[in-house]
């Protein structure tokens, strides 16, 4: 852990929140382990959430039909992105590990954090059509989600009213983090901290501190590698991969379920 650079992308409005306590525990523990820790406190920074033409300095290539991805990729190549994006790019480039700390809003991240994702993970900088998933640009880096929920764990089960937590985690962990090549560590989920006693919240934080001590040595989650798909047939799973999975009791991943039951905890625990 010593000498590793950690970026915490943090989104909560209150310094008195459990998310703030979890963020502070991360900073304290990782610093004690010898890491260099930087925090992007999005609300304190008043980080702009909307992806707009303002993210490009100078003239855009096509003002009549502004295409954000294409324009920002050109601007990135020509060093014409807005200063706030450039600053976050520097942090991401230097980071060995990125932790996203947030309260789950509507089965996803808060708008300000989604804005960070939209604006900072710029095409060209974070991904290209050739370099994504297991061949992604950030394959030497690690990333993870650390978040609170408003409902207890049972409510996020396959029988619970909110459904299986693995399902909303799939677009965040596969569609964003793994898409950019990150080795994705299992999420740290703090189940319903507002609805439990203070000593239980303290226990949650202590468990998080213990996990942080060995975080960078953890085995990442499992995703389907890019070479499992045939580029010549519309990026469909290769025939031999489907044949290998034919007798498996579960699907390959949450997203590639192959019409079978979802693999249990595929997006929550490593090695499944």
């Amino acid at each position: 852990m010593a000498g590793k650079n950690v970026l915490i992308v943090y989104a909560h409005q209150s310094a008195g929140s459990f998310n703030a306590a979890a963020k502070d525990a991360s900073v304290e523990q990782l610093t004690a382990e010898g890491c260099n820790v930087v925090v992007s406190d999005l609300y304190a920074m008043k980080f702009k959430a909307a992806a707009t033409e303002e993210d490009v300095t100078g003239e855009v290539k096509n003002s009549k039909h502004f295409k954000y991805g294409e324009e920002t990729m050109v601007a990135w190549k020509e060093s014409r992105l807005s200063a706030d994006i450039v600053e976050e790019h520097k942090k991401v480039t230097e980071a060995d590990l990125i932790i996203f700390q947030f309260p789950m809003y509507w089965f996803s991240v808060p708008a300000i954090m989604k804005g960070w994702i939209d604006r900072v993970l710029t095409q060209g900088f974070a991904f290209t059509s050739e370099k994504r998933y297991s061949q992604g640009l950030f394959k030497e880096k690690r990333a993870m989600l650390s978040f609170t929920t408003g409902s207890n764990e049972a409510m996020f089960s396959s029988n619970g009213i909110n459904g299986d937590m693995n399902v909303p985690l799939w677009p965040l962990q596969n569609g964003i983090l793994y898409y950019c090549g990150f080795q994705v560590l299992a999420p740290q989920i703090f189940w319903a901290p507002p609805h439990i006693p203070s000593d239980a919240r303290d226990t949650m934080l202590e468990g998080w501190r213990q996990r942080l001590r060995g975080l960078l040595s953890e085995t990442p989650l499992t995703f389907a590698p890019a070479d499992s798909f045939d580029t010549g047939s519309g990026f469909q799973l290769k025939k031999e991969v489907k044949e290998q999975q034919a007798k498996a009791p579960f699907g390959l991943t949450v997203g590639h379920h192959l019409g079978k039951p979802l693999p249990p905890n595929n997006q929550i625990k490593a090695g499944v």
Side-chain angles (χ1 to χ4, degrees), residues 62-130:
N62 187 347
S63 59
K64 292 183 179 180
H65 185 189
F66 180 75
K67 297 180 180 179
Y68 187 84
E70 295 179 11
E71 294 281 2
T72 52
M73 180 172 62
V74 171
W76 169 71
K77 290 178 179 178
E78 298 178 353
S79 300
R80 294 190 298 107
L81 286 171
S82 61
D84 59 343
I85 295 177
V86 172
E87 179 61 25
E88 296 307 297
H89 277 186
K90 181 175 182 293
K91 296 175 188 177
V92 171
T93 298
E94 294 176 350
D96 299 297
L97 167 68
I98 301 178
I99 299 174
F100 294 85
Q101 182 66 57
F102 60 96
M104 178 171 269
Y105 281 6
W106 295 109
F107 291 71
S108 187
V109 299
I112 198 167
M113 181 171 282
K114 182 56 165 61
W116 188 96
I117 292 166
D118 289 348
R119 299 179 63 229
V120 175
L121 299 183
T122 315
Q123 188 172 350
F125 169 74
F127 69 93
T128 68
S129 58
E130 295 81 20

Side-chain angles (χ1 to χ4, degrees), residues 2 12 25 40 45 67 89 106 137 141 157 163 179 181 194 197 199 205 208 224 265-266:
H12 200 287
S40 285
M45 294 160 60
K67 297 180 180 179
H89 277 186
W106 295 109
L137 292 166
K141 300 178 183 291
S157 68
Y179 188 89
D199 59 341
L205 289 174
W208 177 224
N265 290 324
N266 174 255

Side-chain angles (χ1 to χ4, degrees), residues 254-265:
V254 170
H256 312 105
H257 51 72
L258 306 177
K260 299 180 180 182
L262 300 185
N265 290 324

